[in-house]
Amino acid sequence: MIIKRISILLIILFISKASIIVAQVDSLLLLLKNEHHDTTKISIYNQLSAHYTKINPDTAYFYVNQSLKLSEKYLNADDENLLNAVKKHMADSYTLLGNYYKALGNYDEAVKSYKNSLNKRRELGDNSGVANNYIDIGIAKSNKGDYFVAVDYYKNAVKILDELNDEPGLAKVHRNIGNVYYYQGEWDMALESYQKSLKICEKTDDLEGVSRNQNNIGIIHLKTERYNWAIEYFKKSLDIKKQIGDERGVATCYNNMGDVYFKKKDFKEALKYYEISLKMRKEVKDTRGAAFSLTNIGKLLVEEKNFARADSFYKASLQIFEEIKDKEQISLVYNEISAINLKQGNYEESVRFADLSLDIAKDLQALPRIRDSYELLYQAYEHQYNISKAFYYFKLYFENYKLYVTIKDSIYSSESNKLIEREQRYRIDQKQNEIETQNLLIKNKEADEKNLRMQMSFLLAGFASMIVFAFILFRNYKQKTKANKLLEEQKKEIQKAKEEIEAQRDIVMEQNALVLAQKKEIEDSIIYAQNIQKAILPSRDLRDEILPEHFIFFRPRNIVSGDFFWMKQLKNFVVVAIADCTGHGVPGAFMSMLGFMFLNELVTTRSLDSAGQILDRLRDKVKKSLHQSGKEGEAKDGMDMSFFIIDTETRELQFSGAFNPLYIVRDNDKINENLELENENIKMCKPSDESINATLFEIKADRQPIAIYMYEKDFQTHIFKLEKGDRIYSFTDGYPDQFGGDEGKKFNAKRFKEFLLKIGDHPMENQLELVTNNFYTWMGELEQVDDVLLMGLRMD
């Protein structure tokens, strides 16, 4: 009976909400029909678009386009007040247009629209609007998987919102920062951000914000297998979303409820919620959400061993994720399809999809996806009785798991306990607030009763006053006794919760000590490996003896490096190699030691072949040592290299390269106009700054690695006659590929060449300082993406 009444009440609430929305829209349409001022029409179009954004995106798109078309008529207006008003409306329109594209999962177009809005708000000095556009761009970038870029935009928003003391804005940005932490697996930090946002939303009566944060906290508890807490938060969120008419949000809650039942192995109930969610998401054109629902149903069908249907659902979701370019989810679905084929005995297909997932995961540096791909690959090859490949991928899986995931899982165990502590602390704070509120009510009540007693003492006299007064005292005594008893029980509950938290804290501290010990042991091993790697690289004394004026800028991404430099002098010949091995960190360091050993073996005093022949022989040794034969699915590890030989007597330079080119900077007054230096293999690059009196020559490398390759050919040898004062630069791709600057883009080859031309007149020692300062200034607060190695030398 109670359930029936609640259902009727919810239906009434939905109908009431719908009626209000219809009434608002009708009112706006009536205003639009009778309005004669264009600026007011623009505002009405935007309001109509905002109404339809979530319930009918196509209609929202129509109205926002009407607003923009009308606004463009006044962009050249002479009236400054009119022009500013139109710019304000256009900024709102571009934000609404971004919301439309975001709803359809077209994040690139959404970012373009948000940036158009951002430019208008900057022109107007609208700092609050600028902060909101930063948040909008951050959300779109986060949905696309560009987490580092998203965090930068969120941080920009926080700076502005703190200055403005904008609590609703801070609630929104903390919630979205929590989303990034969630995607990166930092669940404790995600929960902290969501709780910050939730407190602000509760304070400001922001029902939508409260609902979103409750849903996000529920997901954290779902991930950490605290299903009762997860259900509690999802139901709270669902009630609010129904109340405010957020159909997309309702669909999300149903999907999350399905996740809980899926984890509890109640597949029938899980499928019911997934199908409801999928239907609603299709109706409101929530493309990305529909893809998640399709993936979830696919996982459920796998559990029921209905592999054919599961595969069709996975491929349907994959098509959507590829259309919206969500690389993280594409990698995940590839692994799921690989797992289905593995279970069905389709081992070649399993390998193919695991390889596709691995390529994307490496680009994103998504460690869980990399680990899963290695696991699927070694299991598939094991079933094919390909023991060498199975062992190879098992070793990669094991190293990845031990080196990265073990620590992560240990920290996760610690963070899991932190989640319990943080949730219980949050609940205790809420309980304490209730107690303080109750105490305040008691105090207010006591004050009211005291006033009442004083009034009665003046009105009543004698014996009647004494009886009433005695009665009031007795009643107060009873109430205080009851209140004190309630407070005592609540204090006991708080004390009990405190003792549980302290016990959990002790466990967390023990686990932290274990994690720190393991972390130190691993770091000590890697640092020892770093010392070995440093020992085999040419010392400063040897470098100064071979190359009198030079510099080397060497910055490993991790403690040890996959980049290395090698050099040797044979009579009047100076031989130099700058190499970039597959990967970085420990795997790259192992490859670098192989490369160093092979070069020492190939370049001897007995004979000195041409640069191209040496690279051919080096490739043969790499292929042989790594057992590379060109079979499908085989490891393709190797190295890229810039390799050159200088005859110090004739100043003739031989160069051969595997992907990595060689740059030579020469002063213009030393370039003979009649001498043809530029050809198909040597490209001449002039500076954009005409005050720079120098030219850069790029000697191109062969587009093939020192490893097994589909289109393998002999490495070419290029000859270049050097002049006194020429500056030679050899490098790996770490420097030009570093992200940074105001827009978080790559430094890129063009900017790199301009920079080398600019610093070419300085002594090599000063150039090292300029190269170092420029790199860290460009990188800013972003992370180093790869090992970096750059060598410069001046020809005597």
Side-chain angles (χ1 to χ4, degrees):
M1 189 66 180
I2 294 174
I3 295 174
K4 184 177 180 181
R5 290 177 180 175
I6 293 173
S7 300
I8 293 171
L9 179 60
L10 289 174
I11 292 170
I12 292 171
L13 287 172
F14 266 119
I15 292 172
S16 300
K17 182 69 177 179
S19 300
I20 293 170
I21 293 173
V22 171
Q24 291 174 339
V25 171
D26 288 344
S27 176
L28 288 170
L29 290 173
L30 182 62
L31 286 172
L32 183 65
K33 182 178 180 181
N34 298 322
E35 184 57 51
H36 300 291
H37 296 287
D38 284 347
T39 52
T40 307
K41 286 184 178 180
I42 294 169
S43 176
I44 295 172
Y45 281 136
N46 280 342
Q47 292 178 62
L48 286 166
S49 179
H51 274 293
Y52 282 109
T53 296
K54 290 186 178 180
I55 60 176
N56 193 333
D58 290 339
T59 303
Y61 179 74
F62 169 79
Y63 282 119
V64 76
N65 267 321
Q66 293 297 109
S67 175
L68 286 170
K69 287 178 183 177
L70 194 55
S71 298
E72 288 172 358
K73 290 171 55 178
Y74 295 95
L75 286 179
N76 297 320
D78 295 330
D79 187 337
E80 185 175 352
N81 291 331
L82 173 61
L83 183 60
N84 287 338
V86 170
K87 285 182 178 179
K88 171 67 171 63
H89 290 314
M90 288 189 77
D92 294 338
S93 298
Y94 281 124
T95 296
L96 290 166
L97 189 59
N99 293 341
Y100 164 77
Y101 284 120
K102 184 176 69 176
L104 296 183
N106 191 342
Y107 301 117
D108 290 334
E109 287 299 322
V111 169
K112 288 181 183 178
S113 298
Y114 291 141
K115 285 186 176 179
N116 286 335
S117 177
L118 183 66
N119 292 333
K120 296 295 181 187
R121 298 193 194 280
R122 282 174 174 165
E123 291 176 15
L124 296 168
D126 179 10
N127 290 335
S128 178
V130 167
N132 284 323
N133 283 142
Y134 279 143
I135 296 172
D136 292 330
I137 296 171
I139 293 170
K141 291 289 186 182
S142 177
N143 287 348
K144 195 179 174 183
D146 296 339
Y147 301 131
F148 295 111
V149 179
V151 168
D152 285 340
Y153 279 106
Y154 289 146
K155 287 181 179 178
N156 289 336
V158 169
K159 290 177 184 177
I160 297 173
L161 295 170
D162 276 333
E163 292 174 0
L164 298 175
N165 194 26
D166 183 348
E167 288 188 331
L170 285 169
K172 183 177 181 181
V173 76
H174 281 308
R175 183 178 69 247
N176 286 294
I177 290 173
N179 291 342
V180 174
Y181 283 131
Y182 169 78
Y183 295 142
Q184 294 176 323
E186 301 289 344
W187 292 335
D188 177 54
M189 298 299 294
L191 181 60
E192 182 180 9
S193 296
Y194 292 148
Q195 287 178 343
K196 282 182 182 178
S197 179
L198 178 58
K199 287 180 180 179
I200 296 173
C201 292
E202 289 174 340
K203 178 181 176 182
T204 57
D205 294 325
D206 177 7
L207 289 180
E208 183 178 7
V210 169
S211 175
R212 286 190 178 187
N213 283 299
Q214 287 172 338
N215 181 70
N216 293 342
I217 292 172
I219 291 172
I220 296 293
H221 291 312
L222 170 62
K223 290 291 184 182
T224 53
E225 300 180 359
R226 289 169 181 84
Y227 301 131
N228 290 338
W229 282 354
I231 287 288
E232 178 184 342
Y233 276 104
F234 288 149
K235 285 183 176 179
K236 288 179 180 178
S237 177
L238 181 62
D239 289 342
I240 294 175
K241 290 186 185 299
K242 287 181 177 179
Q243 180 182 344
I244 63 178
D246 181 2
E247 294 185 19
R248 284 173 176 259
V250 170
T252 299
C253 286
Y254 280 131
N255 180 78
N256 294 338
M257 297 282 283
D259 287 341
V260 174
Y261 286 108
F262 179 81
K263 290 289 186 180
K264 296 173 75 173
K265 305 295 183 183
D266 187 347
F267 299 134
K268 182 178 179 182
E269 197 70 10
L271 180 61
K272 180 181 76 174
Y273 282 108
Y274 284 151
E275 288 179 338
I276 293 173
S277 176
L278 178 60
K279 181 181 178 182
M280 293 186 70
R281 282 170 164 172
K282 286 181 176 179
E283 288 174 353
V284 298
K285 297 187 178 180
D286 181 3
T287 308
R288 188 168 186 266
F292 280 115
S293 294
L294 290 166
T295 302
N296 289 336
I297 295 173
K299 289 179 181 178
L300 189 148
L301 291 169
V302 169
E303 291 294 328
E304 294 180 341
K305 302 189 184 305
N306 192 341
F307 299 126
R309 285 196 67 204
D311 184 69
S312 66
F313 275 92
Y314 281 142
K315 287 180 178 175
S317 69
L318 180 63
Q319 182 179 354
I320 295 173
F321 287 132
E322 287 176 339
E323 289 174 357
I324 65 178
K325 300 178 181 179
D326 190 333
K327 293 183 179 179
E328 167 71 16
Q329 293 303 316
I330 292 171
S331 177
L332 185 147
V333 175
Y334 277 149
N335 270 341
E336 296 292 349
I337 296 174
S338 174
I340 286 180
N341 282 285
L342 183 64
K343 291 178 180 179
Q344 292 180 294
N346 301 325
Y347 303 126
E348 291 183 0
E349 282 296 286
S350 179
V351 168
R352 185 169 74 87
F353 281 103
D355 275 333
L356 290 171
S357 176
L358 182 60
D359 289 341
I360 297 172
K362 284 181 177 179
D363 287 341
L364 298 176
Q365 298 180 21
L367 298 183
R369 297 288 83 76
I370 293 173
R371 179 198 61 195
D372 294 343
S373 298
Y374 283 147
E375 184 178 14
L376 287 164
L377 284 167
Y378 96 70
Q379 289 177 352
Y381 282 121
E382 184 180 27
H383 282 291
Q384 289 180 306
Y385 301 103
N386 191 334
I387 304 304
S388 61
K389 287 187 179 180
F391 178 74
Y392 173 76
Y393 283 109
F394 175 77
K395 185 168 62 173
L396 289 176
Y397 164 71
F398 181 77
E399 289 174 356
N400 184 276
Y401 186 85
K402 286 295 182 183
L403 187 57
Y404 301 107
V405 179
T406 299
I407 296 176
K408 186 84 174 173
D409 289 345
S410 298
I411 294 172
Y412 160 72
S413 177
S414 173
E415 288 185 350
S416 181
N417 290 312
K418 288 181 182 179
L419 290 174
I420 299 173
E421 182 179 348
R422 193 177 298 284
E423 178 64 28
Q424 289 181 341
R425 190 184 307 124
Y426 175 74
R427 290 170 180 259
I428 289 171
D429 288 343
Q430 282 190 322
K431 198 71 170 178
Q432 188 64 37
N433 290 336
E434 292 175 6
I435 293 171
E436 290 174 358
T437 301
Q438 188 173 359
N439 286 337
L440 182 61
L441 290 173
I442 292 172
K443 289 180 180 179
N444 290 338
K445 190 172 184 180
E446 288 176 346
D448 291 342
E449 291 170 352
K450 185 176 179 181
N451 291 333
L452 180 61
R453 289 198 302 272
M454 291 175 64
Q455 292 174 6
M456 291 178 67
S457 65
F458 287 105
L459 296 173
L460 301 177
F463 183 75
S465 300
M466 293 175 63
I467 294 174
V468 172
F469 187 67
F471 173 75
I472 292 172
L473 287 175
F474 178 75
R475 186 178 62 180
N476 286 344
Y477 170 76
K478 282 289 190 181
Q479 289 177 340
K480 286 181 180 180
T481 302
K482 184 177 180 180
N484 288 337
K485 184 177 180 182
L486 178 61
L487 286 173
E488 188 65 29
E489 291 175 354
Q490 291 171 338
K491 286 179 181 178
K492 288 180 180 180
E493 290 180 6
I494 293 171
Q495 183 62 30
K496 182 179 178 182
K498 179 182 177 183
E499 291 173 355
E500 291 177 355
I501 291 172
E502 288 176 349
Q504 292 166 353
R505 180 197 61 197
D506 294 338
I507 296 172
V508 169
M509 290 178 67
E510 291 177 3
Q511 292 175 336
N512 281 342
L514 177 60
V515 170
L516 290 173
Q518 293 173 341
K519 183 173 182 290
K520 185 177 185 303
E521 182 179 350
I522 293 170
E523 286 182 347
D524 288 345
S525 298
I526 297 175
I527 290 171
Y528 188 78
Q530 179 192 36
N531 294 333
I532 295 173
Q533 188 178 45
K534 285 182 177 178
I536 70 169
L537 293 175
S539 66
R540 180 58 188 266
D541 291 339
L542 177 62
R543 300 197 321 256
D544 288 342
E545 181 181 344
I546 297 175
L547 306 171
E549 187 177 0
H550 76 285
F551 72 82
I552 290 181
F553 178 66
F554 183 39
R555 295 294 183 274
R557 180 181 182 274
N558 298 322
I559 298 173
V560 291
S561 173
D563 289 3
F564 73 93
F565 56 94
W566 175 94
M567 59 187 67
K568 181 178 284 190
Q569 184 164 12
L570 304 175
K571 298 180 181 179
N572 58 306
F573 295 97
V574 174
V575 189
V576 180
I578 300 296
D580 180 1
C581 298
T582 302
H584 45 72
V586 174
F590 280 121
M591 280 297 300
S592 73
M593 295 182 73
L594 278 177
F596 205 93
M597 179 181 68
F598 290 153
L599 285 169
N600 280 333
E601 183 180 343
L602 290 169
V603 181
T604 66
T605 55
R606 292 191 300 273
S607 65
L608 181 62
D609 298 315
S610 69
Q613 289 175 327
I614 292 172
L615 290 196
D616 289 335
R617 294 180 181 180
L618 178 59
R619 175 172 58 192
D620 291 339
K621 284 189 171 291
V622 169
K623 287 162 60 177
K624 183 177 180 181
S625 64
L626 297 182
H627 307 292
Q628 295 177 345
S629 60
K631 294 180 180 178
E632 184 178 356
E634 186 179 66
K636 298 178 178 61
D637 297 316
M639 61 191 77
D640 302 337
M641 182 175 289
S642 170
F643 183 86
F644 59 94
I645 304 170
I646 299 175
D647 186 338
T648 56
E649 292 180 355
T650 66
R651 290 201 181 98
E652 182 183 84
L653 178 144
Q654 290 185 41
F655 168 76
S656 186
F659 282 120
N660 291 348
L662 186 71
Y663 292 170
I664 299 171
V665 176
R666 175 174 294 178
D667 295 332
N668 290 338
D669 56 5
K670 294 182 180 180
I671 299 175
N672 187 342
E673 294 182 358
N674 297 323
L675 183 62
E676 289 290 337
L677 291 175
E678 187 172 26
N679 55 52
E680 63 179 2
N681 295 313
I682 301 176
K683 180 181 179 183
M684 183 184 297
C685 304
K686 297 286 186 179
S688 59
D689 185 355
E690 295 181 357
S691 66
I692 298 175
N693 186 32
T695 300
L696 185 146
F697 295 89
E698 177 184 356
I699 307 180
K700 296 182 179 180
D702 290 315
R703 303 298 295 173
Q704 60 179 346
I706 300 175
I708 192 73
Y709 190 61
M710 183 180 298
Y711 305 108
E712 190 174 298
K713 61 182 181 179
D714 291 342
F715 284 96
Q716 298 182 71
T717 300
H718 307 291
I719 307 298
F720 191 96
K721 182 69 178 220
L722 296 171
E723 296 287 347
K724 184 177 181 179
D726 283 357
R727 283 80 75 191
I728 303 169
Y729 298 96
S730 181
F731 51 91
T732 62
D733 59 1
Y735 201 114
D737 283 353
Q738 177 60 44
F739 289 93
D742 294 336
E743 298 182 357
K745 294 182 177 179
K746 285 185 179 181
F747 192 70
N748 72 40
K750 181 179 178 182
R751 194 180 283 112
F752 187 44
K753 292 175 185 176
E754 290 283 346
F755 174 69
L756 294 178
L757 281 164
K758 183 178 178 182
I759 68 172
D761 287 337
H762 293 269
M764 285 295 162
E765 184 177 350
N766 292 350
Q767 286 194 32
L768 175 60
E769 183 178 354
L770 293 170
V771 164
T772 304
N773 292 339
N774 180 70
F775 180 80
Y776 287 110
T777 301
W778 176 261
M779 182 168 66
E781 295 181 0
L782 297 180
E783 292 185 357
Q784 184 174 333
V785 298
D786 199 358
D787 298 323
V788 175
L789 176 56
L790 166 62
M791 185 190 76
L793 63 94
R794 189 185 300 273
M795 192 67 194
D796 291 334

